[in-house]
């Protein structure tokens, strides 16, 4: 069972802070370091010193880490043209020696688009579908041949489809709670399906939908990895849990209801229940990036029990 560290840098983080978390992620034996792809803070935080770009960050981390996987939950399709995104991800994959994964979503946060002058189209799902076709098509094109795509939203003619990633296939992550279109898209393009911030019951239902869609598409349900993204808040005792919850502006009871919170034993038990619902990988949303002792506790008393 994989535990991955997932960060939200738009809430306030420098590259050096992210580097410290990524190095701790690697040193403590976690599987991967992932980050969100946002340009504007959310909620009652100052967001200082301001946003960092997801793929610039991952390019830096690619050169300063050696083992951990690196990726996004989720890159917004509204932020980048698909041809440019394919180049960026392939280059970072080369820089990392083949450790990159691409989580790609439609984009949803209209306010950040307004804040930075990024177009926010009404029809986003169709754009996402074309982006997935283009990015994976460019990477899959045989060297020396060209790639063309003529869709409603994007048009590529005789692209050399370069550069290529270091990996033969960069894993693609798709996520969400949509009942029909999302499972269909995952069945067609995803190597991993991620259920974001959902209950055990909702996770089981959504994983079931994706498994059924994969079977219908002829891939087989087990062709995909199934994962959850959940906020995490672990403490050695109730006081430590409460202190960590207060730092991130959350209530303990709410965190226990909606995430992975409490003692190591409580968190191990709840991860087990998500696993019974079909998930084998967990993205632990870390909201206090200064608290590296939190990562050490999760490694020594949660991850150790799961392995």
């Amino acid at each position: 069972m994989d535990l991955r560290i997932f960060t939200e840098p738009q809430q306030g983080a420098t590259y050096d802070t992210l580097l410290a978390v990524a190095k701790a992620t690697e040193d403590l034996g976690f599987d991967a370091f992932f980050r969100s792809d946002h340009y504007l803070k959310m909620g009652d935080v100052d967001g200082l010193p301001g946003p960092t770009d997801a793929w610039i960050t991952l390019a830096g981390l690619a050169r300063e880490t050696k083992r951990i996987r690196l990726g996004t939950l989720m890159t917004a399709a509204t932020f980048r043209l698909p041809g440019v995104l394919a180049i960026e991800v392939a280059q970072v994959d080369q820089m990392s020696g083949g450790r990159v994964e691409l989580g790609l979503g439609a984009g949803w946060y209209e306010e950040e688009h307004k804040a930075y002058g990024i177009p926010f189209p009404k029809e986003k799902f169709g754009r996402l579908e074309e982006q997935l076709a283009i990015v994976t098509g460019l990477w899959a094109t045989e060297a020396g041949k060209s790639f063309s795509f003529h869709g409603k939203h994007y048009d590529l003619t005789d692209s050399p489809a370069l550069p290529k990633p270091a990996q033969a296939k960069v894993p693609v992550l798709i996520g969400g709670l949509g009942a029909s279109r999302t499972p269909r898209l995952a069945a067609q393009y995803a190597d991993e399906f991620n259920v974001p911030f959902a209950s055990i019951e909702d996770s089981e239902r959504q994983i079931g939908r994706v498994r059924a869609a994969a079977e219908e598409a002829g891939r087989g349900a087990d062709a995909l990895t199934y994962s959850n993204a959940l906020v995490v808040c672990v403490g050695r005792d109730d006081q430590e849990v409460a202190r960590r919850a207060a730092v991130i502006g959350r209530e303990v009871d709410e965190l226990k209801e909606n995430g992975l919170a409490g003692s190591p034993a409580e968190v191990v038990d709840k991860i087990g229940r998500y696993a019974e619902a079909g998930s084998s990988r967990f993205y632990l949303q870390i909201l206090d990036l200064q608290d590296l002792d939190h990562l050490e506790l999760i490694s020594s008393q949660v991850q150790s029990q799961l392995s």
Side-chain angles (χ1 to χ4, degrees):
M1 190 176 295
D2 297 335
L3 295 188
R4 296 181 160 191
I5 299 304
F6 170 45
T7 62
E8 301 271 9
Q10 77 278 356
Q11 300 301 88
T14 64
Y15 172 75
D16 286 340
T17 297
L18 296 171
L19 175 60
V21 175
K23 286 187 170 180
T25 298
E26 184 157 87
D27 292 344
L28 292 169
F30 294 103
D31 181 61
F33 173 94
F34 271 58
R35 59 156 292 164
S36 60
D37 191 6
H38 286 295
Y39 292 131
L40 193 68
K41 70 182 182 73
M42 302 171 192
D44 189 22
V45 297
D46 59 29
L48 296 175
T52 51
D53 181 83
W55 287 101
I56 291 176
T57 297
L58 295 176
L61 297 180
R63 307 302 285 180
E64 300 195 72
T65 58
K66 294 181 174 63
R67 177 189 59 79
I68 51 174
R69 308 288 295 176
L70 301 166
T72 50
L73 281 184
M74 299 283 187
T75 285
T78 50
F79 286 176
R80 299 166 183 86
L81 296 172
V84 174
L85 180 61
I87 291 169
E88 291 174 332
V89 178
Q91 184 176 4
V92 178
D93 195 51
Q94 292 172 359
M95 293 169 70
S96 71
R99 293 184 284 124
V100 160
E101 304 184 11
L102 171 63
L104 187 59
W108 61 272
Y109 191 18
E110 186 173 6
E111 286 78 5
E112 69 187 334
H113 293 73
K114 291 178 179 177
Y116 286 96
I118 303 168
F120 189 70
K122 289 183 178 179
E123 207 291 295
K124 293 180 286 297
F125 197 90
R127 290 174 182 271
L128 170 62
E129 188 163 7
E130 289 191 14
Q131 286 219 359
L132 286 162
I134 292 166
V135 171
T136 58
L138 287 167
W139 291 338
T141 299
E142 184 179 337
K145 295 187 177 181
S146 63
F147 174 84
S148 296
F149 180 91
H150 306 293
K152 179 180 177 181
H153 305 286
Y154 303 103
D155 196 284
L156 287 74
T157 301
D158 295 333
S159 171
L162 296 172
K164 299 300 184 191
Q167 298 174 87
K169 187 180 191 312
V170 173
V172 172
L173 289 73
I174 295 173
L177 296 170
S180 57
R181 297 171 76 187
T182 297
R184 176 184 59 78
L185 204 60
Q188 185 173 0
Y189 291 107
D191 299 284
E192 177 178 337
F193 185 79
N194 181 262
V195 185
F197 309 106
S199 68
I200 295 168
E201 295 75 19
D202 288 344
S203 297
E204 184 173 27
R205 183 180 305 110
Q206 187 67 348
I207 289 171
R209 289 171 178 149
V210 177
R211 291 180 67 88
E215 291 286 356
E216 185 176 343
R219 289 186 64 187
D222 293 334
L224 284 77
T225 297
Y226 301 93
S227 63
N228 280 88
L230 293 159
V231 64
V232 66
C233 181
V234 188
R236 294 173 181 84
D237 53 38
D238 291 345
Q239 290 73 28
E240 191 168 71
V241 175
R243 176 178 62 78
R244 288 197 164 111
V247 169
I248 62 174
R250 304 279 284 270
E251 298 292 331
V252 172
D253 288 345
E254 178 268 323
L255 286 169
K256 287 187 176 184
E257 175 70 21
N258 297 314
L260 301 172
S263 68
E266 287 178 286
V267 170
V268 168
D269 176 72
K270 193 164 186 182
I271 287 174
R273 286 185 279 142
Y274 273 99
E276 290 173 357
S279 188
S280 63
R281 179 173 289 162
F282 296 87
Y283 292 83
L284 308 181
Q285 185 194 45
I286 302 292
L287 295 177
D288 181 3
L289 300 181
Q290 306 298 326
D291 187 2
L292 299 184
D293 288 341
H294 193 198
L295 297 188
E296 194 284 326
L297 176 64
I298 296 168
S299 173
S300 64
Q301 297 195 33
V302 175
Q303 182 170 241
S304 60
Q305 294 189 57
L306 297 171
S307 61

